[in-house]
Amino acid sequence: MTQTIQIVGALAVLAAYVLAQARKLRDDSLPYLLLNLAGSGALAALALLGRQWGFLLLEGSWALVSAVALARKTS
């Protein structure tokens, strides 16, 4: 089950990046921010459970930045 969550989380982050690079999504758009937050949040949670501190730092930071940008966008 954790492998599936890892793959889905990674695909969400990668999809956002690829779509932004292809100019299909703006990097400040709601779908971009939601994809990043969902993917990085899931990966950060798994990193925490697995005590993978470097990965938690990376994905947790990514999720936090996405959450702040999303909060600004929706307020």
Side-chain angles (χ1 to χ4, degrees):
M1 180 60 152
T2 59
Q3 289 290 323
T4 302
I5 296 169
Q6 286 178 357
I7 291 169
V8 170
L11 286 173
V13 172
L14 289 171
Y17 179 74
V18 168
L19 290 169
Q21 291 300 307
R23 294 191 171 104
K24 301 293 182 187
L25 283 180
R26 290 175 42 117
D27 64 359
D28 62 348
S29 70
L30 192 60
Y32 177 87
L33 295 171
L34 288 171
L35 281 169
N36 271 312
L37 180 57
S40 60
L43 293 171
L46 290 175
L48 177 63
L49 292 173
R51 296 183 178 194
Q52 298 174 339
W53 307 124
F55 194 48
L56 176 59
L57 176 63
L58 174 67
E59 294 302 331
S61 298
W62 196 267
L64 182 61
V65 168
S66 296
V68 169
L70 186 59
R72 286 184 181 154
K73 180 90 174 158
T74 59
S75 64

